[in-house]
Amino acid sequence: MKYLNPISLFNKNLLAIVKLCEWLLVGGSLCVVSVALRAGDHSALDGAIQALAKLEPGQDLSVLNPIEQAVVQSRADEQARMDIENRLVAILRGTATDDAKAYACRQLGIVGSDESVPVLAELLPNPRLSHMACYALEDIGSPAALRSLRDMLGKTEGREKIGIAISLGRLADPDAVLILSDLLHARDNTLAEVAVTALGRIGTLPAAEALRSYAGAAPPEFDHVVADAICNAAELLCRRGDPAAAVRLYESLQSAESERIRAAAFRGLMVAKPSESIRMVIAGLASEEPWQRAVAADYLVDLKQQEAIRAIASAIPELPLSGKIAALVSLQDRADPALRAAALELLDHPDTEIRIHALKVLRMSGTAHDVTELAHLATAAEDDRIRAAAFETLRLMPARGTNQALIGWMQTEGNLSPAIVQCALARRSPMFLPVFLEAAKDSHPAIRIEAFHALEIMATERDIHTLIELLCRSSEGEEREAAGRAVWISCQKIPDPTQRPAPLLAAFQKADAAGQCAILPSLARMGGEESLRAVHSAMQSTDRSVRDAGYRALANWPDASVADELFEIARHGNLPAYRVWALRAYARVISLPNDCPPQQTFDRLKQALDLATRIEDKKLILSRFGSVRTIETLALLRDFVDDPELQGTVVAAIFEAAKGLSQTDPEPARAALEAIRSLTQDEALRQQIPKVIQDIDARKQDR
Amino acid sequence: MSQQTKPLNRRQFVKAMAGASTLLAVPHVIPGSALGKDGAVPPSERIVLGGIGIGGRGTYDLGCFLEQPDVQFVAVCDVKEARRVAVKQLADQKYQNRDCAMYCDFRELLDRSDIDAVLIATGPNWHATAAIYSARAGKDIYCEKPCTKNISQSLLLAETMRRCGRVFQAGTQRRNLPHFAFACELARTGRLGPLRTVYAHPAGMTTAMSRWLPPQEAPPIEKVDWDMYLGPAAWRPFNSVMLNGFHFEKGGGFMGTFEPGGQFLGGGVLEWGSHCVDLCQWAADKDSTAPVEYCPPEDGQIVATYADGVKLILREKDWLPLGSCPVRFEGDTGWIETGDSGKFVLSSPELLAGRKVEEIGGYPATFHVRDFLDCVKTRSQPKCNADIACYSHIACHATNIALFLGRKVQFDPVQHEFLGDEQANRLRSEAIRAPWRI
């Protein structure tokens, strides 16, 4: 016959009544369901509690799920909470296993109240369950829980006593000061140390006094523990509005032998005596003791008052070199006119470090008026570190009017340079776009190239036609490459992909031979049928330069759609140069990431390899095998590994393929890597090979 | 639009101060307490390293350390004799000597004044406690993830590192991989437009209570120190599955369990979350805060919301095939998704803007280890320092609490408390077993 707990029966009925009232009030049928479910929950809970009473280690814990559900759901239902608490307390009072009782303690940690305290206190002397009792009592944390811990401190020994003392400290029980003070002189060092720490965490005046008295008598090995506890107590006293007591405590540490203790005291004093903190910060920054400077600088970071910042800024000129740097570093994120003035003054300082830190301060405190000076330093300073610092400041300065000031400076004759174009680009403001377009026409090639790099990032689809004009005027080589890239990227910004080649195709139709040669590489990179038609027409041109550009454009095609045509040219092209371009392009496009089976790519690359006669072409094709991650690839590459002319390329390809296979086929990959380990002359590869091997081995372990 | 200068956070400040390191040679994070090695000055040449809890993952990490020329590994601590011996052999073979010392109690290793830094790769149960002990002993710390068991530990870990002026690197190595860094950079610099949603893969969306397994006869203490293995966790009888279980108290706090056969029940989102959520926090520029609202799972995803409305969505499905630990960042004008393959997919090729991003698959920790070692030398803070780890872990713990409670919870990331939910607040911390204390 099923046992019915009268309390639970009452609770069950009470819950039903409550739910019925809810239903009557809101008139919702869902509440009826809720009542029914709750009744079902209770029967499941009864079963779970019975299972807990008989729980043996290793049993499936899922039978206890209703207990956890009841615990969690009791949050807004005091009756339900009391019910589950009572049931768990009954487990602790009964003959359940220690495992079951430990489980009950965990749940009481969530739902326990003063009702649980007596039974938990009874567990405190139990070596197996003392900790779990502390676990629950700490979470309950009520005056009754504290009282029970204090009572049991005198009735326990060893680890259990230590555990209780720790809990009293964690709960910062002010009434435990006396009993913990008694433990300071315990013969058990651990107990004494725990008492010291606990008193520090309590942090009341009596606790602090106990620590201060003990400090003189404590064994030297306790110096740091005691000082730490005193600092804890002082911090708490300060927080509770008794800075004078905190000051006394910190002052008691000032003469400590340990530099760290003195540092802690110095820091504490600045916090506890805010009226003197500015004076102390300045004194600290001026100190010859590195630890004092570091403490002062650290404190300065958290100092908020504007008048304090100004006072320190005005003291910077008088500080020694190290103090200046410490102050500048600490204040570099503040925007303040006094700081700006100090930083500007330091830009002429003979020490480079000082100048660098002054420039960093200007990032936040600088104004548009400083742009001229900064731009000058960013482009013309002799020391590259100064140039870099000025560049960074110009890049990051948020002051109003900075962009306009920089544009004005760039438009002044003689000021334009690649560096300042880079700097303007780094600000990523569309305001600079007209300046970049103008710079792309500059007489200096380096400025034009830098301008195209900037336009590549900043230009929009509205600028495409201007960019194409600039492309047609560009010099061959690096400039044309940069211009072409800017055009191509801008075309990519056209939302409709089918329309992207249109501006280039239109320009191509109208362009002269030189213009067509300039446009073709970019056009080819767009891909697509219309572009291909234009490329084919160029390949048929009677103008040799356009024809060459057409073949090159085909070799620059972005995907494998032209692979067959390339292979045909590689085999039967009119000119050796066309055959070489096509062969190399063929190897490239067929080994681009694709949906083909790796075996197909492998076969096509092998065909290409058979056609290659020049060593550089063989190298290229072999290198592309690296992206074909098959076991056959490793076998093929191994056949070339002994060729001294090809070895470097082949080893790199084996590495790439093996690395790609390292997750799917770790053993062959590992073997291939081991085989090339001693062959490579490449230092980077030499370092990476063992790492991949290591990763393969590690993957067998924990992730 | 120009890029605005943002106020320095503590990490940036520390890094900036390191720039002036010739003048400020003491630790730049000021000890508010008096712990650690007096007058510790970072070694200019060689970093002497000790290892605590060096199992499978720890051995991998150690390999990354050993390949660094400026590291000298001198001591191993493990509760298992077999691990102590194996690691000693590894180190002795590397250095061609017999110098690597072995310890069972990590406090003895920490007592060695010649050791500058420690690698902590114990089970997650020990991570925070061992890290805090190490910091108080004046050591710098590389600590495997997840670093903490609950919200309270996360805060205490960060506070301790700050007080003790220690360099701390959480083992969330993806922050030091170029494709993840690039993805976060796109999000942080506004290239995706105003950021709206960041997605993380949690690798598990369940939580469970810690438990016991059937008692077995314990090995002699010199073979396995079971009590030390349990450490700050609740006592329970010896069980070899638990001893060798990868997931013992993983996820920590009130969650984390182990089932015979290796089934992982506990930990919830903390397993991958400590990586993926961490990356999302970085991308959303939320390294010093956490979401303010967490909803339990719905349609296979958990939605958390930051104070500015940015959503953090944890989901297990609908990822592009880019490898494990994927993240995705979506703004008004673009998105990026990446994962452990080292590859990434962009909403538009323009987002690449001519950049070449190195493709490094397989989530190696080498770069992360190097970042840590460099910071030990310069006394700056590494990419995944304790302040950053603190909030990415808090985000995971708060998610787990919502998961466990099965209801929406609201969290105040300044006061570090849940609003109007005492149960959730009680789950923020837990007592640790004496004599351990943090």
Side-chain angles (χ1 to χ4, degrees):
Chain A
M1 183 180 162
K2 193 177 174 188
Y3 171 71
L4 287 176
N5 180 335
I7 296 172
S8 73
L9 198 59
F10 170 77
N11 289 342
K12 206 185 301 179
N13 291 334
L14 187 69
L15 281 167
I17 292 163
V18 169
K19 290 294 173 188
L20 185 61
C21 290
E22 278 178 11
W23 179 67
L24 288 171
L25 281 171
V26 298
S29 57
L30 281 175
C31 290
V32 180
V33 178
S34 174
V35 174
L37 280 176
R38 184 57 64 94
D41 288 351
H42 268 253
S43 118
L45 181 59
D46 291 340
I49 288 288
Q50 284 173 15
L52 180 61
K54 296 175 194 163
L55 183 76
E56 291 294 334
Q59 254 181 272
D60 180 6
L61 285 193
S62 62
V63 294
L64 306 181
N65 285 349
I67 297 176
E68 286 173 31
Q69 284 163 13
V71 163
V72 167
Q73 288 167 5
S74 72
R75 176 192 172 213
D77 185 340
E78 179 57 14
Q79 284 299 326
R81 191 203 61 74
M82 285 165 59
D83 175 44
I84 187 66
E85 180 181 24
N86 287 336
R87 289 164 179 256
L88 293 165
V89 165
I91 292 290
L92 293 185
R93 289 199 193 287
T95 56
T97 59
D98 286 346
D99 184 8
K101 289 182 178 177
Y103 178 90
C105 286
R106 282 187 195 275
Q107 305 300 338
L108 284 172
I110 305 172
V111 291
S113 70
D114 285 355
E115 295 300 313
S116 309
V117 168
V119 69
L120 289 167
E122 284 171 27
L123 295 178
L124 286 170
N126 180 335
R128 288 177 157 212
L129 293 170
S130 182
H131 160 246
M132 289 311 300
C134 284
Y135 178 105
L137 286 167
E138 278 191 25
D139 281 337
I140 294 169
S142 65
L146 292 171
R147 200 162 43 245
S148 72
L149 287 164
R150 290 196 301 271
D151 290 346
M152 295 306 291
L153 188 67
K155 297 173 186 168
T156 46
E157 290 299 329
R159 266 193 179 193
E160 291 71 44
K161 195 183 189 82
I162 290 169
I164 294 169
I166 293 169
S167 289
L168 285 167
R170 280 167 61 93
L171 292 168
D173 177 13
D175 295 329
V177 171
L178 273 181
I179 46 174
L180 288 168
S181 300
D182 287 343
L183 298 182
L184 291 175
H185 304 284
R187 269 184 291 183
D188 179 344
N189 269 358
T190 305
L191 192 55
E193 194 186 313
V194 164
V196 167
T197 305
L199 285 167
R201 287 190 169 195
I202 293 168
T204 57
L205 269 178
E209 196 45 49
L211 285 168
R212 210 156 58 139
S213 311
Y214 176 66
E221 64 268 26
F222 275 26
D223 278 356
H224 285 149
V225 180
V226 174
D228 187 44
I230 288 176
C231 285
N232 264 336
E235 280 172 22
L236 288 168
L237 285 167
C238 226
R239 239 180 275 164
R240 291 178 193 138
D242 192 353
V247 167
R248 284 197 298 279
L249 287 174
Y250 287 128
E251 283 175 347
S252 74
L253 299 176
Q254 275 187 308
S255 55
E257 265 186 46
S258 159
E259 198 172 79
R260 282 173 177 271
I261 295 177
R262 294 205 303 279
F266 181 51
R267 166 90 196 197
L269 279 170
M270 285 194 283
V271 175
K273 291 203 278 192
S275 61
E276 291 185 41
S277 62
I278 297 173
R279 182 189 60 76
M280 291 175 77
V281 166
I282 294 171
L285 292 171
S287 168
E288 288 184 1
E289 294 281 358
W291 66 264
Q292 246 183 335
R293 281 203 305 277
V295 173
D298 187 62
Y299 185 80
L300 196 47
V301 173
D302 296 328
L303 208 56
K304 302 289 178 225
Q305 302 91 330
Q306 201 135 34
E307 63 272 26
I309 306 299
R310 286 182 183 164
I312 287 155
S314 60
I316 288 175
E318 308 307 319
L319 292 172
L321 202 65
S322 50
K324 277 191 178 73
I325 290 180
L328 292 171
V329 169
S330 298
L331 295 172
Q332 69 182 37
D333 65 320
R334 311 298 177 91
D336 189 282
L339 264 177
R340 173 177 173 255
L344 287 172
E345 198 175 315
L346 291 172
L347 289 183
D348 293 327
H349 198 278
D351 186 271
T352 307
E353 284 289 322
I354 294 278
R355 295 208 301 281
I356 289 172
H357 287 289
L359 284 165
K360 287 182 180 174
V361 165
L362 287 173
R363 285 178 195 171
M364 282 306 287
S365 60
T367 70
H369 296 293
D370 306 326
V371 165
T372 300
E373 172 92 27
L374 290 167
H376 178 72
L377 288 171
T379 52
E382 281 185 16
D383 190 317
D384 55 359
R385 290 181 301 158
I386 298 288
R387 282 203 306 278
F391 181 100
E392 279 299 286
T393 298
L394 261 187
R395 181 174 80 85
L396 297 168
M397 221 166 72
R400 188 188 294 266
T402 302
N403 287 341
Q404 291 91 332
L406 187 53
I407 289 168
W409 193 84
M410 290 171 80
Q411 287 173 337
T412 305
E413 193 170 349
N415 282 348
L416 209 53
S417 69
I420 206 67
V421 172
Q422 282 176 10
C423 196
L425 170 65
R427 291 186 67 82
R428 293 291 196 277
S429 167
M431 290 172 76
F432 289 101
L433 199 47
V435 187
F436 294 148
L437 286 168
E438 201 53 38
K441 300 174 196 162
D442 196 89
S443 57
H444 293 282
I447 293 176
R448 293 201 301 272
I449 290 169
E450 207 55 58
F452 281 123
H453 287 320
L455 288 164
E456 177 187 330
I457 292 166
M458 298 302 298
T460 66
E461 56 180 294
R462 288 191 299 276
D463 307 307
I464 290 172
H465 295 293
T466 312
L467 281 173
I468 293 173
E469 281 174 27
L470 291 168
L471 169 66
C472 292
R473 285 162 50 176
S474 63
S475 310
E476 277 191 62
E478 192 181 352
E479 184 184 339
R480 179 160 296 172
E481 179 66 27
R485 195 168 166 78
V487 167
W488 182 75
I489 293 271
S490 302
C491 288
Q492 297 299 314
K493 290 175 183 165
I494 297 172
D496 180 356
T498 62
Q499 292 304 309
R500 287 175 187 166
L504 276 168
L505 282 166
F508 180 78
Q509 303 304 336
K510 294 179 196 161
D512 58 12
Q516 287 189 334
C517 290
I519 289 169
L520 272 166
S522 301
L523 189 60
R525 289 183 67 192
M526 308 291 295
E529 284 180 21
E530 285 184 85
S531 304
L532 189 58
R533 269 198 294 277
V535 169
H536 282 156
S537 76
M539 288 163 69
Q540 304 300 322
S541 172
T542 51
D543 184 314
R544 173 69 191 269
S545 65
V546 175
R547 203 164 60 241
D548 284 358
Y551 275 94
R552 277 196 185 278
L554 189 70
N556 205 22
W557 205 254
D559 57 46
S561 61
V562 296
D564 291 340
E565 186 181 352
L566 287 168
F567 188 59
E568 189 55 29
I569 298 169
R571 291 203 300 173
H572 306 301
N574 292 339
L575 299 176
Y578 294 172
R579 291 199 291 273
V580 167
W581 296 344
L583 178 65
R584 295 173 70 86
Y586 176 70
R588 177 179 61 80
V589 296
I590 59 172
S591 56
L592 290 170
N594 57 49
D595 294 330
C596 301
Q599 188 60 45
Q600 186 181 327
T601 307
F602 177 87
D603 292 341
R604 296 176 90 178
L605 273 177
K606 198 159 177 309
Q607 283 179 327
L609 189 60
D610 293 341
L611 280 183
T613 51
R614 303 185 322 153
I615 200 75
E616 53 267 49
D617 298 336
K618 284 185 182 174
K619 279 185 180 178
L620 173 88
I621 294 162
L622 286 167
S623 74
R624 302 300 290 192
F625 272 103
S627 63
V628 186
R629 289 157 184 183
T630 67
I631 309 282
E632 290 79 5
T633 301
L634 296 177
L636 178 138
L637 290 170
R638 263 199 300 272
D639 290 343
F640 293 89
V641 84
D642 293 329
D643 184 329
E645 282 188 294
L646 297 173
Q647 191 178 72
T649 304
V650 171
V651 165
I654 289 176
F655 172 74
E656 195 188 341
K659 191 176 163 193
L661 287 165
S662 64
Q663 300 209 23
T664 53
D665 297 280
E667 289 311 321
R670 198 184 190 291
L673 289 166
E674 286 290 2
I676 59 169
R677 202 169 180 166
S678 60
L679 296 177
T680 181
Q681 306 299 313
D682 182 313
E683 188 52 39
L685 213 52
R686 213 200 300 267
Q687 287 179 11
Q688 285 183 47
I689 290 169
K691 281 180 194 160
V692 179
I693 292 174
Q694 200 175 22
D695 289 342
I696 291 172
D697 294 342
R699 224 165 272 126
K700 296 172 190 168
Q701 304 280 346
D702 175 8
R703 55 185 178 178
Chain B
M1 191 198 312
S2 71
Q3 294 172 43
Q4 302 282 306
T5 303
K6 292 183 179 171
L8 287 179
N9 60 30
R10 181 164 294 273
R11 189 183 102 78
Q12 289 162 334
F13 167 71
V14 166
K15 199 123 191 164
M17 291 294 281
S21 59
T22 50
L23 296 156
L24 294 162
V26 293
H28 303 304
V29 181
I30 304 312
S33 69
L35 298 169
K37 288 192 298 182
D38 274 356
V41 177
S44 56
E45 298 298 327
R46 193 187 53 160
I47 295 165
V48 181
L49 183 75
I52 300 174
I54 309 297
R57 180 69 198 178
T59 303
Y60 170 74
D61 289 339
L62 181 57
C64 296
F65 275 100
L66 289 178
E67 71 185 43
Q68 306 299 324
D70 49 355
V71 165
Q72 180 81 17
F73 184 75
V74 298
V76 58
C77 170
D78 204 293
V79 296
K80 299 175 189 171
E81 183 191 45
R83 294 305 315 154
R84 291 194 292 271
V85 170
V87 174
K88 176 180 165 56
Q89 282 173 353
L90 188 72
D92 288 352
Q93 190 177 7
K94 158 90 182 168
Y95 299 120
Q96 294 296 302
N97 60 26
R98 300 166 63 84
D99 292 350
C100 182
M102 297 188 289
Y103 302 95
C104 183
D105 185 331
F106 68 96
R107 289 168 297 186
E108 292 175 29
L109 183 148
L110 295 179
D111 279 344
R112 281 182 53 163
S113 60
D114 62 325
I115 291 179
D116 302 301
V118 288
L119 160 63
I120 297 173
T122 57
N125 168 50
W126 260 113
H127 285 162
T129 306
I132 288 171
Y133 271 76
S134 302
R136 287 177 179 161
K139 312 301 182 196
D140 295 323
I141 298 133
Y142 184 103
C143 181
E144 260 304 328
K145 64 89 198 173
C147 302
T148 65
K149 293 172 77 171
N150 51 51
I151 290 172
S152 166
Q153 275 194 359
S154 307
L155 293 164
L156 193 56
L157 181 77
E159 175 62 17
T160 305
M161 296 307 145
R162 198 155 45 225
R163 283 184 160 206
C164 299
R166 292 297 99 200
V167 174
F168 178 92
Q169 177 85 300
T172 42
Q173 71 274 19
R174 287 166 177 84
R175 278 213 186 201
N176 265 306
L177 291 174
H179 54 293
F180 284 117
F182 172 66
C184 292
E185 182 194 314
L186 283 189
R188 289 167 63 87
T189 54
R191 302 286 307 282
L192 305 177
L195 198 65
R196 299 297 177 203
T197 312
V198 288
Y199 293 86
H201 183 225
M205 282 166 53
T206 55
T207 60
M209 281 285 176
S210 190
R211 63 171 306 183
W212 292 20
L213 288 181
Q216 295 170 345
E217 189 179 343
I221 195 167
E222 60 274 14
K223 295 284 180 198
V224 173
D225 188 338
W226 175 244
D227 189 66
M228 183 65 95
Y229 176 77
L230 292 176
W235 184 88
R236 63 204 84 198
F238 175 82
N239 180 286
S240 60
V241 174
M242 233 170 220
L243 174 72
N244 299 313
F246 168 51
H247 297 301
F248 173 66
E249 291 268 330
K250 190 167 216 166
F254 65 99
M255 295 146 219
T257 184
F258 191 84
E259 286 297 288
Q263 190 191 356
F264 175 39
L265 290 179
V269 303
L270 201 56
E271 163 62 6
W272 260 165
S274 44
H275 284 299
C276 298
V277 171
D278 178 64
L279 292 166
C280 287
Q281 291 258 121
W282 189 20
D285 203 11
K286 300 284 189 283
D287 275 339
S288 53
T289 188
V292 295
E293 185 178 276
Y294 302 80
C295 295
E298 199 176 318
D299 298 331
Q301 57 183 33
I302 299 171
V303 180
T305 309
Y306 291 97
D308 62 0
V310 171
K311 305 273 184 211
L312 163 65
I313 295 183
L314 297 104
R315 65 177 186 197
E316 294 205 278
K317 292 189 292 189
D318 302 328
W319 292 98
L320 298 173
L322 293 169
S324 52
C325 204
V327 286
R328 179 185 174 96
F329 310 134
E330 288 181 357
D332 274 356
T333 58
W335 54 265
I336 181 168
E337 186 166 328
T338 186
D340 280 337
S341 62
K343 299 180 188 303
F344 52 85
V345 177
L346 294 159
S347 56
S348 156
E350 287 169 37
L351 289 170
L352 204 53
R355 284 274 298 276
K356 284 185 179 167
V357 181
E358 198 180 352
E359 183 188 310
I360 299 177
Y363 48 93
T366 320
F367 307 100
H368 205 53
V369 163
R370 190 61 250 170
D371 177 33
F372 168 69
L373 295 171
D374 290 341
C375 290
V376 169
K377 288 184 170 182
T378 59
R379 306 316 294 163
S380 51
Q381 286 292 329
K383 287 261 178 68
C384 296
N385 61 67
D387 285 336
I388 284 168
C390 170
Y391 280 100
S392 52
H393 280 68
I394 283 178
C396 294
H397 293 311
T399 307
N400 271 344
I401 287 171
L403 257 177
F404 178 77
L405 295 176
R407 61 177 175 250
K408 183 194 289 185
V409 293
Q410 289 178 317
F411 183 69
D412 177 344
V414 177
Q415 298 299 322
H416 306 117
E417 61 186 26
F418 292 95
L419 305 180
D421 195 328
E422 195 202 339
Q423 290 190 342
N425 278 326
R426 285 189 178 196
L427 292 167
R428 285 176 304 167
S429 68
E430 67 167 11
I432 65 171
R433 195 168 61 102
W436 309 107
R437 65 268 180 196
I438 52 176

